[in-house]
Amino acid sequence: DTAVSQTPKYLVTQMGNDKSIKCEQNLGHDTMYWYKQDSKKFLKIMFSYNNKELIINETVPNRFSPKSPDKAHLNLHINSLELGDSAVYFCASSQEQRARETQYFGPGTRLLVL
Amino acid sequence: DQQVKQNSPSLSVQEGRISILNCDYTNSMFDYFLWYKKYPAEGPTFLISISSIKDKNEDGRFTVFLNKSAKHLSLHIVPSQPGDSAVYFCAASDTGTYKYIFGTGTRLKVLA
């Protein structure tokens, strides 16, 4: 009964390819997020969706396109992958889009671009 | 521009002793702080939080202290247990932005 799940867990691909990472939450939350943890271990927010509406978009290259088909899903599509995209990507969710909401994280997707 | 800093990348403590993890921040607008714990190959899990109107919050073996004037918070774990071995992330937010800024984490190793 995983609360926030991501697929795949590992992704190894070549530069220039297009790939998607899927995220699903079964907590009934309204808000979902994508974070990137780079090689320096910084965990930085990329996007936030509330009820399928984009709320936060942190100066992320437009090669990254989040898609939220419904409240329970937030997928991340990455075009023309670059070496610098190698990182761990975490999906998270919270009950609402408001201050002080606890965020629940998925297990992460380890992306390696060769 | 690293607004939340955890200057100790790692810490080792004997089982039963106190673990103290530190976090500093630079943005005086931050008014809510959290600690997350992360095991290998898992996502971060929420541990404890504190609002800027308090200077201490306690939950079982975990206590978070906030020193607003020093822009510093710390997490105390007493007594430390081997199962506490993990990476601990400090995070901060201000009410206006609804997003958390995370530190780079401190790896805690509790030795049996």
Side-chain angles (χ1 to χ4, degrees):
Chain A
D1 282 5
T2 308
V4 182
S5 59
Q6 297 178 226
T7 53
K9 282 194 172 179
Y10 300 94
L11 187 52
V12 181
T13 187
Q14 298 287 331
M15 259 192 336
N17 283 351
D18 303 339
K19 290 292 178 186
S20 291
I21 307 172
K22 295 186 176 182
C23 177
E24 176 181 3
Q25 53 95 4
N26 62 7
L27 298 166
H29 288 170
D30 286 345
T31 307
M32 296 184 73
Y33 311 82
W34 276 110
Y35 284 84
K36 177 181 179 181
Q37 186 180 31
D38 60 22
S39 57
K40 294 182 181 176
K41 306 301 180 188
F42 285 109
L43 189 62
K44 288 185 180 174
I45 190 163
M46 300 172 68
F47 301 103
S48 168
Y49 268 74
N50 187 56
N51 265 321
K52 302 195 299 173
E53 183 184 347
L54 181 65
I55 301 296
I56 295 174
N57 183 346
E58 289 287 298
T59 57
V60 176
N62 56 17
R63 298 183 296 103
F64 290 78
S65 51
K67 290 213 171 30
S68 182
D70 54 59
K71 262 182 16 174
H73 296 85
L74 180 62
N75 303 324
L76 184 65
H77 188 76
I78 315 171
N79 289 328
S80 303
L81 278 155
E82 300 178 357
L83 294 176
D85 297 331
S86 295
V88 183
Y89 292 84
F90 289 99
C91 177
S93 73
S94 64
Q95 183 67 52
E96 296 180 23
Q97 176 77 42
R98 65 178 184 185
R100 308 181 181 193
E101 282 288 328
T102 298
Q103 295 181 13
Y104 297 83
F105 283 80
T109 295
R110 283 141 191 87
L111 170 65
L112 178 60
V113 182
L114 303 173
Chain B
D1 179 20
Q2 200 178 336
Q3 298 183 69
V4 177
K5 299 178 186 179
Q6 293 176 257
N7 292 319
S8 298
S10 62
L11 174 68
S12 291
V13 171
Q14 284 295 130
E15 181 179 6
R17 307 293 284 266
I18 184 171
S19 295
I20 300 176
L21 296 99
N22 294 305
C23 178
D24 297 294
Y25 62 95
T26 57
N27 189 339
S28 56
M29 296 298 291
F30 288 150
D31 58 4
Y32 190 65
F33 305 87
L34 310 92
W35 285 93
Y36 276 80
K37 175 179 175 179
K38 184 183 177 307
Y39 291 117
E42 294 183 12
T45 54
F46 171 73
L47 193 56
I48 193 169
S49 62
I50 188 166
S51 161
S52 60
I53 61 172
K54 293 185 174 182
D55 54 20
K56 176 183 172 182
N57 188 26
E58 195 171 349
D59 183 1
R61 296 186 298 113
F62 302 91
T63 303
V64 55
F65 294 92
L66 176 62
N67 181 334
K68 288 187 290 292
S69 59
K71 295 193 181 69
H72 176 84
L73 65 156
S74 60
L75 174 69
H76 292 211
I77 307 173
V78 182
S80 301
Q81 299 173 353
D84 295 330
S85 297
V87 177
Y88 290 79
F89 289 96
C90 165
S93 76
D94 75 73
T95 308
T97 63
Y98 306 118
K99 65 181 181 183
Y100 293 134
I101 307 297
F102 283 83
T104 49
T106 295
R107 182 178 303 277
L108 173 65
K109 190 171 183 179
V110 180
L111 306 168

